[in-house]
Amino acid sequence: MVIGILSIVLNTNAQKKEIKITIEQLSQNIYMLTGQGGNIGVFKNEKGIFIIDNQFARLSDRILSKLKTISDKTVTMAINTHYHGDHTGGNENIATKGATIFAQKNVRSRMEGIQKEKGKITPSSLPVITFNEGLQLYFKDENISAFHVHNAHTDGDAIIYFTKGNVLHMGDTFFNNRYPYIDLKSGGSIKGYIKAVEKALLIANDDTKIIPGHGKLASKNDLDEFLKMLTKLTNAIQKEINSGKSENEIIKNTGLTAEYDAKGFGNGFINPERIRKTIYTSLTNSEK
Ligand SMILES: [Zn+2]
């Protein structure tokens, strides 16, 4: 009871605390916007503003007014890297103001599924252009490739690359310096996740600016380190499984993640125990 009251007080205080919206220029026309939820990529172009992800509905007004500081134009195009609410919550707000939203087809079907379950369909919040494997967008001074990676963070992830600006937005296939959340119930898997990161590393070079779904702006080195972490943990846990260790033994074995726990990877949303459990579950429950 006491704890209950305490948590209500803490929550109220947290809500009162103003979320800070920041925008950082990465190249001539490309920016990274942060607030609360997934990092937003911004591309200023001859037609208007194109954004990658859009955080929560309650932040839309503040995000849009922050965008006014870099351009008078409106948001005309938006892509969702995947369906989670901290990346797509502003869809309806920006769509009703004229943005065309696109995403991998599973993003739309998952959002539709959730809305049907809740008995409230809001068509304007759904992507109106969907693709299976990928999409190319051509602007006057920029070419953009969006490509689908399979069964990584979810079953609908897209990674977006700006060819000329040399900026890569990874969505939630990259948590910079953090253990990742892998949504196994939405088609994510550790093996697909590793493949997605490997694919991104083929595109990136030493000058590429990498926007992670969560965490600070990153370089190829950071992504390399993240891949090493994923591979080491996965190999170590697979070895334990092969030697007949139980789920509980693996989840409780702090040694499996100690090297990266010490580097702070477990200080975010996913703690060391949770990442051990996720990798174990993914390795034993699917052939993906
Ligand atoms: Zn996510």
Side-chain angles (χ1 to χ4, degrees):
M1 193 59 180
V2 173
I3 290 169
I5 291 164
L6 184 64
S7 77
I8 289 166
V9 173
L10 290 175
N11 278 337
T12 315
N13 285 341
Q15 276 159 11
K16 274 183 197 154
K17 209 176 135 202
E18 187 86 334
I19 304 294
K20 204 172 166 227
I21 312 269
T22 64
I23 193 158
E24 181 184 349
Q25 186 164 18
L26 308 186
S27 74
Q28 204 190 344
N29 297 313
I30 304 169
Y31 303 77
M32 169 167 145
L33 186 148
T34 61
Q36 189 184 38
N39 292 323
I40 298 178
V42 179
F43 169 53
K44 200 166 72 170
N45 59 79
E46 66 273 20
K47 295 193 177 80
I49 298 175
F50 165 68
I51 59 172
I52 303 167
D53 291 344
N54 52 62
Q55 303 186 351
F56 297 103
R58 63 174 182 276
L59 293 175
S60 297
D61 285 344
R62 294 190 52 213
I63 289 167
L64 293 175
S65 57
K66 196 69 175 180
L67 294 177
K68 284 271 175 272
T69 65
I70 59 155
S71 168
D72 291 336
K73 294 195 167 115
T74 56
V75 176
T76 50
M77 301 170 95
I79 189 165
N80 298 144
T81 59
H82 62 291
Y83 84 97
H84 288 151
D86 58 328
H87 298 255
T88 60
N91 272 13
E92 191 182 6
N93 291 337
I94 56 170
T96 51
K97 288 188 166 75
T100 301
I101 298 172
F102 42 97
Q104 207 276 337
K105 69 177 169 55
N106 295 332
V107 174
R108 185 182 160 99
S109 53
R110 288 207 175 269
M111 286 180 76
E112 243 178 341
I114 290 169
Q115 292 183 7
K116 270 182 195 153
E117 254 171 48
K118 288 181 180 164
K120 189 176 175 262
I121 311 270
T122 44
S124 54
S125 70
L126 301 173
V128 293
I129 297 174
T130 66
F131 55 90
N132 290 341
E133 293 300 324
L135 190 69
Q136 302 290 321
L137 300 166
Y138 300 94
F139 294 88
K140 204 171 104 230
D141 299 311
E142 187 58 87
N143 296 331
I144 302 171
S145 299
F147 50 93
H148 174 45
V149 287
H150 295 258
N151 301 99
H153 173 66
T154 65
D155 61 4
D157 301 295
I159 291 177
I160 292 99
Y161 183 58
F162 295 86
T163 317
K164 291 189 182 153
N166 198 10
V167 173
L168 184 64
H169 193 304
M170 301 271 299
D172 279 0
T173 64
F174 183 25
F175 285 60
N176 190 14
N177 203 45
R178 292 281 183 265
Y179 293 135
Y181 170 48
I182 303 176
D183 188 348
L184 303 178
K185 292 197 173 98
S186 302
S189 75
I190 183 63
K191 288 190 177 166
Y193 202 102
I194 287 173
K195 278 192 195 139
V197 175
E198 285 170 343
K199 196 163 178 182
L201 280 166
L202 293 176
I203 296 164
N205 59 40
D206 290 341
D207 299 322
T208 307
K209 291 187 168 145
I210 306 178
I211 304 177
H214 299 271
K216 290 194 179 116
L217 183 72
S219 66
K220 191 179 185 218
N221 266 340
D222 299 319
L223 191 58
D224 263 324
E225 172 78 356
F226 183 70
L227 176 64
K228 252 185 232 149
M229 177 277 293
L230 292 171
T231 323
K232 272 194 186 171
L233 263 53
T234 302
N235 290 343
I237 290 172
Q238 186 64 62
K239 220 170 132 193
E240 294 290 291
I241 294 168
N242 294 348
S243 71
K245 294 279 168 28
S246 73
E247 173 174 8
N248 200 43
E249 282 173 310
I250 291 170
I251 291 171
K252 296 288 172 218
N253 185 350
T254 55
L256 293 168
T257 52
E259 180 188 352
Y260 290 97
D261 297 348
K263 292 180 180 177
F265 277 77
N267 297 343
F269 179 52
I270 302 296
N271 66 29
E273 188 169 309
R274 184 116 182 251
I275 195 65
R276 293 193 294 270
K277 185 177 165 65
T278 301
I279 295 174
Y280 170 85
T281 308
S282 185
L283 289 174
T284 50
N285 279 5
S286 84
E287 273 115 60
K288 280 164 199 157

